Amino acid sequence: MSVLKRPIITEKVTAQGGQGKYAFEVALTANKVEIKKAIEKLFGVTVESVHTMRSIGKSKSRTSGGKFVSGKTSTIKKAIITVAEGEIIDIYGEA
């Protein structure tokens, strides 16, 4: 199982890209050391710091077709990566 699931591309994270900060959704069991090694291996950059956070899943409910439907969103773990000054991660695939 891969440590990195996908990059998180939002307006806030894109603005932080100029400061060398990037966000990724990672496996719930991944620790900071594993995340750092995976980023350095995949993108060939030097990682200065890794900050992680867990977004706990929430219960959701709505009515659909006159019936009450309930469910739950998934719990995810995010990692904010800071790379060394002058290095960039090309998430969009631009050359």
Side-chain angles (χ1 to χ4, degrees):
M1 184 172 125
S2 178
V3 174
L4 301 175
K5 290 187 176 180
R6 65 182 180 94
I8 298 174
I9 302 171
T10 61
E11 188 175 349
K12 184 175 182 179
V13 172
T14 304
Q16 290 181 341
Q19 301 170 4
K21 294 184 179 183
Y22 302 92
F24 293 89
E25 184 179 330
V26 296
L28 288 172
T29 57
N31 61 37
K32 292 182 179 185
V33 175
E34 292 172 339
I35 296 167
K36 180 178 178 177
K37 287 179 182 178
I39 294 287
E40 288 178 343
K41 182 178 178 183
L42 185 63
F43 295 105
V45 296
T46 304
V47 176
E48 287 188 343
S49 67
V50 178
H51 298 280
T52 60
M53 64 191 88
R54 290 171 55 109
S55 178
I56 305 300
K58 297 174 178 65
S59 297
K60 300 282 185 173
S61 58
R62 63 184 172 94
T63 56
S64 177
K67 295 184 180 183
F68 188 74
V69 179
S70 63
K72 191 172 193 285
T73 60
S74 299
T75 298
I76 64 168
K77 187 172 188 175
K78 299 182 213 177
I80 308 296
I81 311 297
T82 305
V83 296
E85 191 172 334
E87 293 188 349
I88 60 169
I89 295 177
D90 187 19
I91 293 174
Y92 301 107
E94 299 170 354

